[in-house]
Amino acid sequence: MPVITQIEDLRVLAQKRVPRMFYEYVDTGSWTESTYHANADDFQKIKLRQRVAINIEHRSTASTMIGQNVAMPVALAPTGLTGMQCADGEIKAARAAKKFGVPFTLSTMSICSIEDVARETGGHPFWFQLYVMRDRDYIARLIDRVKAANCSALMLTLDLQISGQRHKDLKNGLSVPPRPSLPNLVNMMTKVRWGLGMLGTQRRSFGNIVGHVKGIDSMGSLSEWTAKQFDPTLSWNDVAWIKQRWGGKLILKGIQDVEDARLAAASGADALVVSNHGGRQLDGSESSIRALPAIVNAVGSQIEVHMDGGIRSGQDVLKARALGARGTYIGRAFLYGLGAMGEAGVTRALEIIHKELDLTMAFCGHTHVDNVDKRILLPGTYPA
């Protein structure tokens, strides 16, 4: 086993162990991937101010996100097909998050179902991400299942009314059901560790849909249903209906524009997530870290602002916190860990990010993450 010291180490190992079509599903963006790369690259342009001769003993990264105590201001982002990076992937990631003390968010398009994750984590509260489908009766029943599973927050994703084109997915035949090419089938056969895991589980379809929609009992029927279900008519009226139906903590994900941020704040939601879907939707849109300050300035006093996109280190978490994000989300970073080493890999990803966050905070002269602001950043290097 190689020495794992950074998220990049986990990415390299995941690339070796996960079949190409599923690895590239994670490690890709839409069209030219300019926004996907900008999400991470723009973090690197922000420079930190080192401070010295300050008492940095007794440090704490503990904080809160929507009133929930967290070991650090980081949550695991909702990611589709997590259970194809590693057998029972959502369960393993949720267990790691529970042990570490950070929120786990289950995607509507997960392999393991809501009930699977709730049962296998002992009823520990997790968050659930909702896509709005045309079948509103299904959505209503899905929300009821989320309530029954003791989920502590509902995250409504607003930026997937239609799907962005991801070239690698098309070339790999990644569809529902997957139609892999011969080279990808051969590649899949070389991933023995992954294959043995998949043989040992029954969870290989979309657990939140199959068996919960009339007539959907196979991957074939699921393909036809999902092709018609993502709803381009989604509006703020639907947000109001979902908020009323849910009745609990509500997070709105996919906000990139100040005008939309004001509408999100006016909706009565508890938090919004500055996010461009990891660069997987509108290529050419602004990176999340560059979009963050203007949104914080506009609505930060009215609604809790989180951000998602490009976080690969604890330094990135600290920079986002300095620019006003109350919480951050990691997607690819934990998926690399999951694909590389299963549950232990997710734990390792969290450990890496936590250590980097703690040490960088100390080098910048702070002992508590909630006291960090833009004064730790070098003027002229961060978006105003």
Side-chain angles (χ1 to χ4, degrees):
M1 175 65 66
V3 177
I4 304 295
T5 63
Q6 58 183 333
I7 297 300
E8 174 64 11
D9 294 335
L10 292 171
R11 185 199 67 77
V12 171
L13 192 54
Q15 188 174 23
K16 294 176 181 177
R17 291 183 170 178
V18 178
R20 179 171 53 235
M21 66 186 304
F22 296 120
Y23 170 79
E24 290 188 345
Y25 171 76
V26 168
D27 204 38
T28 192
S30 63
W31 289 329
T32 68
E33 299 188 333
S34 66
T35 298
Y36 164 44
H37 292 298
N39 275 344
D41 293 345
D42 285 349
F43 269 109
Q44 303 312 306
K45 298 172 184 176
I46 301 171
K47 302 305 177 184
L48 298 156
R49 293 176 62 205
Q50 179 176 311
R51 301 297 306 280
V52 297
I54 296 172
N55 185 346
I56 52 173
E57 196 176 17
H58 307 306
R59 298 186 303 277
S60 175
T61 61
S63 188
T64 61
M65 293 174 68
I66 57 168
Q68 180 175 324
N69 292 329
V70 292
M72 59 180 172
V74 173
L76 271 58
T79 56
L81 292 175
T82 299
M84 299 309 290
Q85 301 301 310
C86 173
D88 301 333
E90 291 89 357
I91 291 169
K92 292 172 181 174
R95 284 175 176 165
K98 174 185 175 181
K99 291 175 185 175
F100 206 89
V102 297
F104 168 78
T105 317
L106 183 69
S107 170
T108 294
M109 305 305 291
S110 61
I111 302 301
C112 301
S113 70
I114 302 165
E115 293 80 8
D116 286 336
V117 175
R119 182 174 56 253
E120 298 296 330
T121 56
H124 180 72
F126 58 94
W127 298 353
F128 183 81
Q129 174 271 331
L130 181 70
Y131 285 127
V132 178
M133 309 293 191
R134 290 181 185 271
D135 185 345
R136 292 298 197 269
D137 180 62
Y138 165 72
I139 294 301
R141 287 184 284 108
L142 185 59
I143 292 172
D144 291 343
R145 289 169 59 200
V146 174
K147 289 181 183 179
N150 194 35
C151 291
S152 55
L154 185 71
M155 179 183 291
L156 175 59
T157 294
L158 298 174
D159 62 351
L160 196 72
Q161 294 167 272
I162 55 175
S163 183
Q165 180 169 308
R166 301 149 201 165
H167 298 328
K168 290 176 183 175
D169 288 351
L170 292 174
K171 291 175 180 178
N172 286 331
L174 189 65
S175 59
V176 182
R179 298 183 179 88
S181 63
L182 180 58
N184 277 313
L185 284 171
V186 172
N187 174 261
M188 197 175 295
M189 292 171 65
T190 67
K191 310 301 180 182
V192 177
R193 183 190 187 110
W194 179 89
L196 290 173
M198 287 298 169
L199 286 173
T201 182
Q202 298 297 313
R203 302 179 180 102
R204 303 189 197 100
S205 63
F206 290 110
N208 292 323
I209 300 172
V210 174
H212 297 281
V213 178
K214 186 177 181 180
I216 306 300
D217 54 10
S218 68
M219 289 297 275
S221 55
L222 174 63
S223 175
E224 183 178 354
W225 185 81
T226 52
K228 300 175 181 177
Q229 281 299 314
F230 285 100
D231 193 352
T233 71
L234 174 66
S235 73
W236 289 101
N237 290 332
D238 296 302
V239 175
W241 173 74
I242 288 167
K243 183 178 185 298
Q244 182 179 25
R245 178 85 187 194
W246 165 240
K249 297 282 188 178
L250 180 65
I251 304 169
L252 301 180
K253 181 174 179 285
I255 305 297
Q256 284 283 107
D257 186 86
V258 167
E259 187 174 346
D260 288 334
R262 291 194 175 106
L263 291 169
S267 75
D270 297 277
L272 66 82
V273 186
V274 178
S275 171
N276 51 43
H277 217 96
R280 295 165 64 78
Q281 286 292 89
L282 176 60
D283 189 39
S285 64
E286 193 171 35
S287 69
S288 293
I289 193 61
R290 289 194 62 83
L292 175 65
I295 290 174
V296 169
N297 290 339
V299 302
S301 62
Q302 305 165 48
I303 187 172
E304 197 164 301
V305 177
H306 301 171
M307 74 82 58
D308 162 82
I311 292 177
R312 302 291 187 273
S313 71
Q315 288 202 340
D316 295 340
V317 172
L318 193 69
K319 291 171 182 179
R321 189 70 188 85
L323 291 175
R326 184 72 194 180
T328 62
Y329 296 79
I330 56 170
R332 292 181 175 95
F334 95 79
L335 290 173
Y336 295 148
L338 184 66
M341 300 163 56
E343 184 177 334
V346 179
T347 297
R348 187 69 187 119
L350 290 168
E351 289 171 345
I352 289 167
I353 287 173
H354 181 264
K355 184 174 184 179
E356 292 169 341
L357 171 61
D358 174 63
L359 291 179
T360 304
M361 182 176 68
F363 283 130
C364 292
H366 281 269
T367 58
H368 201 293
V369 72
D370 281 349
N371 295 330
V372 169
D373 59 27
K374 65 180 64 175
R375 287 175 293 182
I376 73 164
L377 307 177
L378 189 66
T381 68
Y382 60 87

